[in-house]
Amino acid sequence: MNATLQALWQETRESDSVRQRLYQVLRQSIIRMVLAPGQALSEKELADTFSVSRQPVREAFIRLSEAGLVEVRPQRGTFVVKISQQAVLEARFVREAVEVAVAREAATRGLGRPVLDGLRELIDRQRRCIEPADHDRFFLLDEAFHRTLSLGIGQQTAWKVTEEVKAQLDRVRYLSIPSSTPIDKLIEQHVAIVDAIEGRDVEAAAEAMRVHQCEILQSLPDLLHRFPEMFQSAQPPSLAEETQA
Protein backbone atom coordinates (compact mmCIF):
# COMPACT_ATOMS: atom_id res chain seq x y z
CA MET A 1 0.00 0.00 0.00
CA ASN A 2 2.78 2.45 0.89
CA ALA A 3 4.31 2.05 -2.57
CA THR A 4 0.98 2.91 -4.20
CA LEU A 5 0.51 5.93 -1.97
CA GLN A 6 4.01 7.14 -2.78
CA ALA A 7 3.37 6.64 -6.50
CA LEU A 8 0.26 8.79 -6.22
CA TRP A 9 2.32 11.37 -4.33
CA GLN A 10 4.67 11.57 -7.33
CA GLU A 11 1.68 12.39 -9.56
CA THR A 12 0.90 15.54 -7.57
CA ARG A 13 2.40 18.92 -8.38
CA GLU A 14 5.43 19.85 -6.33
CA SER A 15 4.33 23.48 -6.47
CA ASP A 16 1.25 22.65 -4.39
CA SER A 17 1.36 22.79 -0.60
CA VAL A 18 2.03 19.61 1.38
CA ARG A 19 -1.51 19.85 2.75
CA GLN A 20 -3.02 20.01 -0.75
CA ARG A 21 -0.85 17.17 -2.05
CA LEU A 22 -1.78 14.96 0.91
CA TYR A 23 -5.46 15.64 0.37
CA GLN A 24 -5.20 14.77 -3.33
CA VAL A 25 -3.29 11.54 -2.64
CA LEU A 26 -5.64 10.36 0.09
CA ARG A 27 -8.72 11.29 -1.94
CA GLN A 28 -7.47 9.34 -4.96
CA SER A 29 -6.46 6.43 -2.73
CA ILE A 30 -9.97 6.21 -1.31
CA ILE A 31 -11.60 6.53 -4.74
CA ARG A 32 -9.34 3.83 -6.21
CA MET A 33 -9.92 1.54 -3.21
CA VAL A 34 -6.27 1.57 -2.20
CA LEU A 35 -7.72 2.65 1.13
CA ALA A 36 -10.78 0.43 1.46
CA PRO A 37 -14.19 1.32 2.89
CA GLY A 38 -14.12 0.77 6.66
CA GLN A 39 -10.31 0.85 6.86
CA ALA A 40 -8.71 2.64 9.82
CA LEU A 41 -6.24 5.40 8.96
CA SER A 42 -3.20 6.08 11.09
CA GLU A 43 -2.12 9.70 11.30
CA LYS A 44 1.39 8.69 12.35
CA GLU A 45 1.77 5.99 9.70
CA LEU A 46 0.71 8.34 6.91
CA ALA A 47 3.01 11.08 8.19
CA ASP A 48 5.89 8.59 8.16
CA THR A 49 4.97 7.35 4.66
CA PHE A 50 5.25 10.84 3.19
CA SER A 51 7.98 12.11 5.54
CA VAL A 52 5.82 15.00 6.74
CA SER A 53 4.59 16.19 10.12
CA ARG A 54 1.27 14.99 11.50
CA GLN A 55 -0.38 18.43 11.21
CA PRO A 56 -0.96 18.39 7.41
CA VAL A 57 -2.23 14.81 7.70
CA ARG A 58 -4.70 15.97 10.34
CA GLU A 59 -5.80 18.84 8.10
CA ALA A 60 -6.24 16.46 5.16
CA PHE A 61 -8.44 14.24 7.35
CA ILE A 62 -10.67 17.25 8.10
CA ARG A 63 -11.11 18.01 4.39
CA LEU A 64 -11.81 14.35 3.61
CA SER A 65 -14.38 14.32 6.38
CA GLU A 66 -16.08 17.36 4.86
CA ALA A 67 -16.13 15.53 1.51
CA GLY A 68 -17.82 12.55 3.17
CA LEU A 69 -14.92 10.17 2.58
CA VAL A 70 -13.66 9.63 6.13
CA GLU A 71 -15.17 9.71 9.59
CA VAL A 72 -13.20 11.03 12.53
CA ARG A 73 -14.35 9.26 15.70
CA PRO A 74 -13.15 10.89 18.92
CA GLN A 75 -11.02 8.56 21.03
CA ARG A 76 -11.33 5.83 18.38
CA GLY A 77 -9.58 7.07 15.26
CA THR A 78 -10.22 7.98 11.64
CA PHE A 79 -11.91 5.55 9.25
CA VAL A 80 -12.69 5.45 5.54
CA VAL A 81 -16.47 5.57 5.34
CA LYS A 82 -18.39 2.93 3.45
CA ILE A 83 -20.10 4.08 0.29
CA SER A 84 -23.45 5.73 0.90
CA GLN A 85 -26.00 4.81 -1.74
CA GLN A 86 -28.00 7.92 -0.93
CA ALA A 87 -24.93 10.16 -1.30
CA VAL A 88 -24.16 8.51 -4.65
CA LEU A 89 -27.68 9.13 -5.95
CA GLU A 90 -27.71 12.72 -4.74
CA ALA A 91 -24.30 13.42 -6.31
CA ARG A 92 -25.42 11.83 -9.58
CA PHE A 93 -28.54 14.00 -9.59
CA VAL A 94 -26.49 17.18 -9.14
CA ARG A 95 -23.85 16.14 -11.66
CA GLU A 96 -26.45 15.34 -14.30
CA ALA A 97 -28.10 18.73 -13.84
CA VAL A 98 -24.79 20.58 -14.15
CA GLU A 99 -23.30 18.59 -17.01
CA VAL A 100 -26.47 18.49 -19.12
CA ALA A 101 -26.56 22.28 -18.79
CA VAL A 102 -22.90 22.42 -19.87
CA ALA A 103 -23.56 20.22 -22.92
CA ARG A 104 -26.60 22.28 -23.86
CA GLU A 105 -24.66 25.54 -23.58
CA ALA A 106 -21.70 24.12 -25.53
CA ALA A 107 -23.98 23.11 -28.40
CA THR A 108 -25.84 26.42 -28.31
CA ARG A 109 -22.76 28.59 -28.23
CA GLY A 110 -20.42 26.27 -30.12
CA LEU A 111 -16.93 25.23 -29.14
CA GLY A 112 -13.77 26.51 -30.76
CA ARG A 113 -11.74 24.12 -32.89
CA PRO A 114 -8.94 23.81 -30.31
CA VAL A 115 -11.42 22.64 -27.65
CA LEU A 116 -13.14 20.21 -30.01
CA ASP A 117 -9.78 18.84 -31.13
CA GLY A 118 -8.76 18.51 -27.49
CA LEU A 119 -11.90 16.50 -26.71
CA ARG A 120 -11.32 14.24 -29.74
CA GLU A 121 -7.71 13.71 -28.68
CA LEU A 122 -8.84 12.71 -25.19
CA ILE A 123 -11.25 10.20 -26.72
CA ASP A 124 -8.43 8.74 -28.84
CA ARG A 125 -6.29 8.39 -25.72
CA GLN A 126 -9.22 6.74 -23.93
CA ARG A 127 -9.46 4.17 -26.74
CA ARG A 128 -5.81 3.28 -26.17
CA CYS A 129 -6.75 2.25 -22.63
CA ILE A 130 -9.05 -0.56 -23.80
CA GLU A 131 -6.59 -3.24 -24.94
CA PRO A 132 -4.17 -2.97 -22.00
CA ALA A 133 -7.18 -2.64 -19.65
CA ASP A 134 -5.61 0.48 -18.14
CA HIS A 135 -8.56 1.43 -15.97
CA ASP A 136 -6.66 3.93 -13.83
CA ARG A 137 -5.52 5.83 -16.89
CA PHE A 138 -9.00 5.79 -18.40
CA PHE A 139 -10.47 7.15 -15.17
CA LEU A 140 -8.09 10.12 -15.31
CA LEU A 141 -8.81 10.73 -19.00
CA ASP A 142 -12.55 10.56 -18.36
CA GLU A 143 -12.10 13.22 -15.70
CA ALA A 144 -10.08 15.34 -18.15
CA PHE A 145 -12.82 15.01 -20.79
CA HIS A 146 -15.53 16.43 -18.55
CA ARG A 147 -13.25 19.12 -17.14
CA THR A 148 -12.24 20.21 -20.65
CA LEU A 149 -15.87 20.47 -21.70
CA SER A 150 -16.83 22.67 -18.73
CA LEU A 151 -13.78 24.89 -19.02
CA GLY A 152 -14.25 25.07 -22.79
CA ILE A 153 -17.37 27.20 -22.30
CA GLY A 154 -15.80 29.18 -19.46
CA GLN A 155 -17.73 27.42 -16.69
CA GLN A 156 -15.01 26.94 -14.09
CA THR A 157 -17.58 27.16 -11.30
CA ALA A 158 -19.66 24.39 -12.89
CA TRP A 159 -16.65 22.08 -12.79
CA LYS A 160 -15.80 23.12 -9.23
CA VAL A 161 -19.34 22.28 -8.10
CA THR A 162 -19.12 18.92 -9.86
CA GLU A 163 -15.80 18.13 -8.19
CA GLU A 164 -17.14 19.00 -4.76
CA VAL A 165 -20.20 16.74 -4.91
CA LYS A 166 -18.87 13.67 -6.69
CA ALA A 167 -16.44 12.10 -4.20
CA GLN A 168 -18.80 9.24 -3.28
CA LEU A 169 -19.93 8.92 -6.89
CA ASP A 170 -16.34 8.56 -8.07
CA ARG A 171 -15.84 5.47 -5.90
CA VAL A 172 -18.80 3.78 -7.56
CA ARG A 173 -17.62 4.89 -11.01
CA TYR A 174 -14.21 3.40 -10.30
CA LEU A 175 -15.74 0.11 -9.11
CA SER A 176 -17.96 -0.07 -12.19
CA ILE A 177 -15.03 -0.07 -14.65
CA PRO A 178 -14.70 -2.40 -16.47
CA SER A 179 -17.02 -5.24 -15.45
CA SER A 180 -20.25 -3.32 -14.87
CA THR A 181 -19.56 -0.54 -17.35
CA PRO A 182 -17.18 -1.43 -20.21
CA ILE A 183 -14.77 1.31 -21.24
CA ASP A 184 -15.81 1.12 -24.89
CA LYS A 185 -19.41 1.89 -23.95
CA LEU A 186 -18.36 5.04 -22.08
CA ILE A 187 -16.19 6.09 -25.03
CA GLU A 188 -19.14 5.70 -27.41
CA GLN A 189 -21.13 7.99 -25.14
CA HIS A 190 -18.32 10.56 -25.16
CA VAL A 191 -18.28 10.45 -28.97
CA ALA A 192 -22.05 11.01 -29.10
CA ILE A 193 -21.72 14.05 -26.83
CA VAL A 194 -18.96 15.64 -28.91
CA ASP A 195 -20.68 14.83 -32.23
CA ALA A 196 -23.88 16.51 -31.06
CA ILE A 197 -22.01 19.56 -29.76
CA GLU A 198 -19.99 19.92 -32.94
CA GLY A 199 -23.20 19.59 -34.99
CA ARG A 200 -24.78 22.33 -32.82
CA ASP A 201 -27.70 19.96 -32.04
CA VAL A 202 -28.70 21.26 -28.61
CA GLU A 203 -31.30 18.63 -27.73
CA ALA A 204 -29.11 15.75 -28.93
CA ALA A 205 -26.17 17.05 -26.88
CA ALA A 206 -28.31 17.36 -23.76
CA GLU A 207 -29.78 13.88 -24.24
CA ALA A 208 -26.38 12.29 -24.92
CA MET A 209 -25.03 13.77 -21.71
CA ARG A 210 -28.13 12.72 -19.75
CA VAL A 211 -27.73 9.12 -20.96
CA HIS A 212 -24.05 9.23 -20.01
CA GLN A 213 -24.76 10.52 -16.51
CA CYS A 214 -27.49 7.90 -15.98
CA GLU A 215 -25.07 5.07 -16.80
CA ILE A 216 -24.18 4.64 -13.12
CA LEU A 217 -27.82 3.78 -12.35
CA GLN A 218 -27.47 0.71 -14.55
CA SER A 219 -24.32 -0.53 -12.80
CA LEU A 220 -25.18 0.36 -9.19
CA PRO A 221 -27.48 -2.64 -8.47
CA ASP A 222 -24.80 -5.02 -9.78
CA LEU A 223 -22.14 -3.37 -7.62
CA LEU A 224 -24.35 -3.57 -4.54
CA HIS A 225 -24.69 -7.30 -5.14
CA ARG A 226 -21.01 -7.94 -5.84
CA PHE A 227 -19.43 -5.68 -3.22
CA PRO A 228 -21.88 -5.50 -0.29
CA GLU A 229 -19.03 -5.03 2.19
CA MET A 230 -18.13 -1.70 0.58
CA PHE A 231 -21.56 -0.13 0.98
CA GLN A 232 -23.51 1.12 3.95
CA SER A 233 -26.22 -1.40 4.73
CA ALA A 234 -29.28 0.82 4.42
CA GLN A 235 -30.71 1.00 0.91
CA PRO A 236 -32.58 4.24 0.15
CA PRO A 237 -36.16 3.91 -1.10
CA SER A 238 -35.29 6.09 -4.09
CA LEU A 239 -32.82 3.63 -5.64
CA ALA A 240 -35.37 1.42 -7.42
CA GLU A 241 -37.42 4.42 -8.48
CA GLU A 242 -34.45 6.29 -9.95
CA THR A 243 -33.12 3.17 -11.67
CA GLN A 244 -36.45 2.88 -13.51
CA ALA A 245 -36.44 6.55 -14.49
Side-chain angles (χ1 to χ4, degrees):
M1 180 184 73
N2 284 355
T4 303
L5 292 177
Q6 289 167 351
L8 288 171
W9 177 266
Q10 295 303 316
E11 293 179 6
T12 62
R13 294 180 299 185
E14 293 184 5
S15 57
D16 287 342
S17 66
V18 170
R19 177 176 57 186
Q20 177 64 17
R21 295 177 73 186
L22 276 173
Y23 172 73
Q24 292 173 346
V25 168
L26 294 177
R27 187 182 189 279
Q28 285 300 312
S29 298
I30 292 171
I31 288 170
R32 300 186 192 185
M33 305 296 168
V34 176
L35 300 174
Q39 182 174 339
L41 301 179
S42 167
E43 195 176 281
K44 181 181 184 305
E45 181 180 341
L46 288 169
D48 291 344
T49 296
F50 300 110
S51 300
V52 300
S53 69
R54 295 172 68 165
Q55 181 61 30
V57 177
R58 193 174 300 120
E59 292 172 352
F61 282 175
I62 292 172
R63 288 187 64 188
L64 291 166
S65 176
E66 292 170 348
L69 292 175
V70 306
E71 180 183 6
V72 181
R73 304 176 190 171
Q75 311 303 320
R76 296 185 60 190
T78 300
F79 299 83
V80 179
V81 301
K82 293 193 174 185
I83 301 170
S84 164
Q85 300 169 47
Q86 186 64 33
V88 169
L89 294 174
E90 290 176 3
R92 192 216 63 81
F93 180 87
V94 172
R95 184 169 190 182
E96 178 188 335
V98 172
E99 297 231 28
V100 167
V102 167
R104 185 181 293 276
E105 179 68 12
T108 300
R109 183 190 305 179
L111 291 177
R113 178 50 53 187
V115 178
L116 286 168
D117 288 347
L119 291 170
R120 298 286 188 192
E121 171 62 22
L122 285 168
I123 290 172
D124 287 342
R125 291 166 65 189
Q126 290 167 11
R127 288 194 179 100
R128 294 197 288 270
C129 294
I130 296 175
E131 188 172 339
D134 192 344
H135 309 133
D136 286 345
R137 184 64 178 163
F138 174 80
F139 194 84
L140 294 174
L141 291 169
D142 177 76
E143 193 91 342
F145 176 88
H146 290 278
R147 180 174 63 250
T148 298
L149 186 53
S150 288
L151 300 186
I153 60 167
Q155 288 295 335
Q156 292 89 346
T157 300
W159 178 248
K160 183 177 179 181
V161 168
T162 299
E163 278 195 305
E164 288 176 351
V165 303
K166 69 187 183 68
Q168 290 271 31
L169 179 59
D170 279 348
R171 292 204 284 176
V172 174
R173 289 173 57 230
Y174 190 82
L175 272 180
S176 72
I177 301 170
S179 55
S180 296
T181 308
I183 289 177
D184 55 351
K185 183 177 184 181
L186 296 174
I187 293 173
E188 289 172 5
Q189 293 172 356
H190 287 167
V191 171
I193 292 167
V194 177
D195 284 349
I197 290 172
E198 186 168 16
R200 305 293 290 272
D201 189 331
V202 177
E203 294 307 317
E207 178 61 13
M209 182 62 81
R210 188 196 68 79
V211 168
H212 185 55
Q213 295 302 328
C214 286
E215 184 63 37
I216 199 67
L217 297 176
Q218 308 304 316
S219 59
L220 186 53
D222 176 57
L223 297 174
L224 288 167
H225 176 73
R226 293 171 53 211
F227 306 105
E229 72 284 357
M230 295 189 177
F231 289 83
Q232 294 178 7
S233 58
Q235 179 168 318
S238 60
L239 176 57
E241 298 173 4
E242 193 163 353
T243 302
Q244 294 170 4

mmCIF file of all heavy atoms in Angstrom, residues 2-3 13 18-19 57-58 61 64-65 69 74 77 91 103 115 119 127 142 185 202 204 211 214 220 240:
data_model
loop_
_atom_site.group_PDB
_atom_site.id
_atom_site.type_symbol
_atom_site.label_atom_id
_atom_site.label_comp_id
_atom_site.label_asym_id
_atom_site.label_seq_id
_atom_site.Cartn_x
_atom_site.Cartn_y
_atom_site.Cartn_z
ATOM 1 N N ASN A 2 1.925 1.269 0.815
ATOM 2 C CA ASN A 2 2.779 2.447 0.892
ATOM 3 C C ASN A 2 3.364 2.813 -0.469
ATOM 4 O O ASN A 2 3.483 3.989 -0.814
ATOM 5 C CB ASN A 2 3.906 2.232 1.904
ATOM 6 C CG ASN A 2 3.407 2.346 3.336
ATOM 7 O OD1 ASN A 2 2.241 2.685 3.567
ATOM 8 N ND2 ASN A 2 4.276 2.071 4.283
ATOM 9 N N ALA A 3 3.741 1.789 -1.254
ATOM 10 C CA ALA A 3 4.313 2.047 -2.570
ATOM 11 C C ALA A 3 3.286 2.727 -3.473
ATOM 12 O O ALA A 3 3.623 3.641 -4.241
ATOM 13 C CB ALA A 3 4.788 0.744 -3.206
ATOM 14 N N ARG A 13 1.505 17.827 -7.981
ATOM 15 C CA ARG A 13 2.397 18.916 -8.377
ATOM 16 C C ARG A 13 3.241 19.375 -7.195
ATOM 17 O O ARG A 13 2.709 19.666 -6.121
ATOM 18 C CB ARG A 13 1.580 20.093 -8.916
ATOM 19 C CG ARG A 13 0.857 19.791 -10.213
ATOM 20 C CD ARG A 13 0.068 20.991 -10.694
ATOM 21 N NE ARG A 13 -0.947 21.392 -9.719
ATOM 22 C CZ ARG A 13 -1.848 22.356 -9.946
ATOM 23 N NH1 ARG A 13 -1.833 23.021 -11.090
ATOM 24 N NH2 ARG A 13 -2.741 22.661 -9.014
ATOM 25 N N VAL A 18 2.049 20.979 0.853
ATOM 26 C CA VAL A 18 2.026 19.606 1.377
ATOM 27 C C VAL A 18 0.608 19.212 1.750
ATOM 28 O O VAL A 18 0.170 18.087 1.484
ATOM 29 C CB VAL A 18 2.960 19.489 2.605
ATOM 30 C CG1 VAL A 18 2.765 18.145 3.301
ATOM 31 C CG2 VAL A 18 4.412 19.662 2.183
ATOM 32 N N ARG A 19 -0.126 20.129 2.356
ATOM 33 C CA ARG A 19 -1.507 19.850 2.754
ATOM 34 C C ARG A 19 -2.374 19.490 1.555
ATOM 35 O O ARG A 19 -3.135 18.524 1.598
ATOM 36 C CB ARG A 19 -2.077 21.080 3.473
ATOM 37 C CG ARG A 19 -3.542 20.952 3.870
ATOM 38 C CD ARG A 19 -3.991 22.166 4.659
ATOM 39 N NE ARG A 19 -3.763 23.396 3.882
ATOM 40 C CZ ARG A 19 -3.959 24.615 4.369
ATOM 41 N NH1 ARG A 19 -4.333 24.780 5.620
ATOM 42 N NH2 ARG A 19 -3.752 25.668 3.599
ATOM 43 N N VAL A 57 -1.414 16.022 7.793
ATOM 44 C CA VAL A 57 -2.231 14.809 7.699
ATOM 45 C C VAL A 57 -3.558 15.042 8.410
ATOM 46 O O VAL A 57 -4.639 14.703 7.901
ATOM 47 C CB VAL A 57 -1.510 13.592 8.308
ATOM 48 C CG1 VAL A 57 -2.414 12.361 8.272
ATOM 49 C CG2 VAL A 57 -0.208 13.318 7.579
ATOM 50 N N ARG A 58 -3.484 15.659 9.569
ATOM 51 C CA ARG A 58 -4.697 15.967 10.341
ATOM 52 C C ARG A 58 -5.610 16.903 9.554
ATOM 53 O O ARG A 58 -6.831 16.722 9.510
ATOM 54 C CB ARG A 58 -4.297 16.590 11.676
ATOM 55 C CG ARG A 58 -5.409 16.684 12.704
ATOM 56 C CD ARG A 58 -4.875 17.186 14.040
ATOM 57 N NE ARG A 58 -3.857 16.284 14.565
ATOM 58 C CZ ARG A 58 -2.607 16.659 14.823
ATOM 59 N NH1 ARG A 58 -2.211 17.903 14.609
ATOM 60 N NH2 ARG A 58 -1.736 15.786 15.320
ATOM 61 N N PHE A 61 -7.334 15.021 6.802
ATOM 62 C CA PHE A 61 -8.441 14.240 7.351
ATOM 63 C C PHE A 61 -9.697 15.104 7.493
ATOM 64 O O PHE A 61 -10.821 14.646 7.224
ATOM 65 C CB PHE A 61 -8.072 13.667 8.716
ATOM 66 C CG PHE A 61 -7.174 12.450 8.666
ATOM 67 C CD1 PHE A 61 -6.684 11.892 9.840
ATOM 68 C CD2 PHE A 61 -6.829 11.860 7.465
ATOM 69 C CE1 PHE A 61 -5.872 10.770 9.821
ATOM 70 C CE2 PHE A 61 -6.003 10.738 7.422
ATOM 71 C CZ PHE A 61 -5.526 10.198 8.611
ATOM 72 N N LEU A 64 -11.207 15.608 4.057
ATOM 73 C CA LEU A 64 -11.810 14.353 3.607
ATOM 74 C C LEU A 64 -13.115 14.077 4.339
ATOM 75 O O LEU A 64 -14.062 13.536 3.765
ATOM 76 C CB LEU A 64 -10.833 13.200 3.806
ATOM 77 C CG LEU A 64 -9.594 13.209 2.906
ATOM 78 C CD1 LEU A 64 -8.556 12.228 3.412
ATOM 79 C CD2 LEU A 64 -9.968 12.880 1.460
ATOM 80 N N SER A 65 -13.150 14.463 5.603
ATOM 81 C CA SER A 65 -14.379 14.319 6.383
ATOM 82 C C SER A 65 -15.472 15.205 5.816
ATOM 83 O O SER A 65 -16.633 14.792 5.677
ATOM 84 C CB SER A 65 -14.110 14.670 7.853
ATOM 85 O OG SER A 65 -15.298 14.618 8.607
ATOM 86 N N LEU A 69 -15.723 11.345 2.890
ATOM 87 C CA LEU A 69 -14.922 10.166 2.583
ATOM 88 C C LEU A 69 -14.332 9.497 3.816
ATOM 89 O O LEU A 69 -14.004 8.302 3.769
ATOM 90 C CB LEU A 69 -13.796 10.536 1.610
ATOM 91 C CG LEU A 69 -14.252 10.916 0.202
ATOM 92 C CD1 LEU A 69 -13.060 11.371 -0.638
ATOM 93 C CD2 LEU A 69 -14.968 9.749 -0.472
ATOM 94 N N PRO A 74 -13.932 10.512 17.736
ATOM 95 C CA PRO A 74 -13.150 10.886 18.924
ATOM 96 C C PRO A 74 -12.795 9.677 19.779
ATOM 97 O O PRO A 74 -13.640 8.814 20.033
ATOM 98 C CB PRO A 74 -14.088 11.845 19.673
ATOM 99 C CG PRO A 74 -14.978 12.408 18.599
ATOM 100 C CD PRO A 74 -15.170 11.277 17.612
ATOM 101 N N GLY A 77 -10.421 6.978 16.442
ATOM 102 C CA GLY A 77 -9.580 7.068 15.263
ATOM 103 C C GLY A 77 -10.324 7.591 14.049
ATOM 104 O O GLY A 77 -11.473 8.035 14.136
ATOM 105 N N ALA A 91 -25.397 12.857 -5.521
ATOM 106 C CA ALA A 91 -24.301 13.419 -6.312
ATOM 107 C C ALA A 91 -24.572 13.234 -7.802
ATOM 108 O O ALA A 91 -24.307 14.131 -8.606
ATOM 109 C CB ALA A 91 -22.981 12.755 -5.930
ATOM 110 N N ALA A 103 -23.449 20.743 -21.553
ATOM 111 C CA ALA A 103 -23.557 20.222 -22.921
ATOM 112 C C ALA A 103 -24.513 21.064 -23.753
ATOM 113 O O ALA A 103 -24.241 21.372 -24.924
ATOM 114 C CB ALA A 103 -24.012 18.766 -22.894
ATOM 115 N N VAL A 115 -10.739 23.404 -28.702
ATOM 116 C CA VAL A 115 -11.420 22.640 -27.647
ATOM 117 C C VAL A 115 -11.975 21.343 -28.221
ATOM 118 O O VAL A 115 -11.828 20.262 -27.624
ATOM 119 C CB VAL A 115 -12.548 23.464 -26.991
ATOM 120 C CG1 VAL A 115 -13.278 22.627 -25.938
ATOM 121 C CG2 VAL A 115 -11.990 24.727 -26.359
ATOM 122 N N LEU A 119 -10.961 17.543 -27.135
ATOM 123 C CA LEU A 119 -11.901 16.499 -26.709
ATOM 124 C C LEU A 119 -11.719 15.236 -27.553
ATOM 125 O O LEU A 119 -11.738 14.112 -27.018
ATOM 126 C CB LEU A 119 -13.337 17.013 -26.826
ATOM 127 C CG LEU A 119 -13.733 18.113 -25.833
ATOM 128 C CD1 LEU A 119 -15.087 18.712 -26.215
ATOM 129 C CD2 LEU A 119 -13.783 17.558 -24.399
ATOM 130 N N ARG A 127 -9.397 5.429 -25.967
ATOM 131 C CA ARG A 127 -9.457 4.175 -26.740
ATOM 132 C C ARG A 127 -8.194 3.333 -26.524
ATOM 133 O O ARG A 127 -8.250 2.103 -26.521
ATOM 134 C CB ARG A 127 -9.631 4.474 -28.229
ATOM 135 C CG ARG A 127 -11.013 4.983 -28.619
ATOM 136 C CD ARG A 127 -11.201 4.929 -30.128
ATOM 137 N NE ARG A 127 -12.530 5.384 -30.520
ATOM 138 C CZ ARG A 127 -12.795 6.598 -30.993
ATOM 139 N NH1 ARG A 127 -11.807 7.471 -31.137
ATOM 140 N NH2 ARG A 127 -14.025 6.938 -31.318
ATOM 141 N N ASP A 142 -11.113 10.259 -18.439
ATOM 142 C CA ASP A 142 -12.547 10.557 -18.363
ATOM 143 C C ASP A 142 -12.763 11.856 -17.593
ATOM 144 O O ASP A 142 -13.551 12.723 -17.991
ATOM 145 C CB ASP A 142 -13.276 9.397 -17.678
ATOM 146 C CG ASP A 142 -14.758 9.680 -17.499
ATOM 147 O OD1 ASP A 142 -15.495 9.580 -18.494
ATOM 148 O OD2 ASP A 142 -15.174 10.007 -16.370
ATOM 149 N N LYS A 185 -18.067 1.314 -24.009
ATOM 150 C CA LYS A 185 -19.413 1.894 -23.947
ATOM 151 C C LYS A 185 -19.352 3.359 -23.529
ATOM 152 O O LYS A 185 -20.041 4.215 -24.095
ATOM 153 C CB LYS A 185 -20.281 1.100 -22.977
ATOM 154 C CG LYS A 185 -21.728 1.590 -22.900
ATOM 155 C CD LYS A 185 -22.551 0.715 -21.967
ATOM 156 C CE LYS A 185 -24.012 1.137 -21.951
ATOM 157 N NZ LYS A 185 -24.822 0.293 -21.015
ATOM 158 N N VAL A 202 -28.580 21.019 -30.045
ATOM 159 C CA VAL A 202 -28.696 21.265 -28.607
ATOM 160 C C VAL A 202 -29.396 20.118 -27.884
ATOM 161 O O VAL A 202 -28.918 19.632 -26.847
ATOM 162 C CB VAL A 202 -29.439 22.592 -28.349
ATOM 163 C CG1 VAL A 202 -29.644 22.821 -26.856
ATOM 164 C CG2 VAL A 202 -28.661 23.755 -28.962
ATOM 165 N N ALA A 204 -29.881 16.999 -28.852
ATOM 166 C CA ALA A 204 -29.113 15.748 -28.929
ATOM 167 C C ALA A 204 -27.941 15.780 -27.960
ATOM 168 O O ALA A 204 -27.625 14.759 -27.326
ATOM 169 C CB ALA A 204 -28.616 15.518 -30.351
ATOM 170 N N VAL A 211 -27.921 10.567 -20.885
ATOM 171 C CA VAL A 211 -27.730 9.119 -20.958
ATOM 172 C C VAL A 211 -26.406 8.732 -20.309
ATOM 173 O O VAL A 211 -26.330 7.761 -19.549
ATOM 174 C CB VAL A 211 -27.770 8.648 -22.436
ATOM 175 C CG1 VAL A 211 -27.290 7.200 -22.557
ATOM 176 C CG2 VAL A 211 -29.179 8.788 -22.995
ATOM 177 N N CYS A 214 -26.605 8.919 -16.556
ATOM 178 C CA CYS A 214 -27.492 7.896 -15.980
ATOM 179 C C CYS A 214 -26.870 6.506 -16.008
ATOM 180 O O CYS A 214 -27.445 5.557 -15.463
ATOM 181 C CB CYS A 214 -28.837 7.871 -16.725
ATOM 182 S SG CYS A 214 -29.916 9.268 -16.337
ATOM 183 N N LEU A 220 -25.120 0.340 -10.652
ATOM 184 C CA LEU A 220 -25.179 0.358 -9.186
ATOM 185 C C LEU A 220 -25.795 -0.904 -8.579
ATOM 186 O O LEU A 220 -25.228 -1.466 -7.628
ATOM 187 C CB LEU A 220 -25.915 1.611 -8.711
ATOM 188 C CG LEU A 220 -25.944 1.851 -7.201
ATOM 189 C CD1 LEU A 220 -24.550 1.827 -6.597
ATOM 190 C CD2 LEU A 220 -26.634 3.185 -6.888
ATOM 191 N N ALA A 240 -34.606 2.135 -6.403
ATOM 192 C CA ALA A 240 -35.367 1.421 -7.421
ATOM 193 C C ALA A 240 -36.113 2.397 -8.316
ATOM 194 O O ALA A 240 -36.185 2.241 -9.533
ATOM 195 C CB ALA A 240 -36.346 0.447 -6.759
#
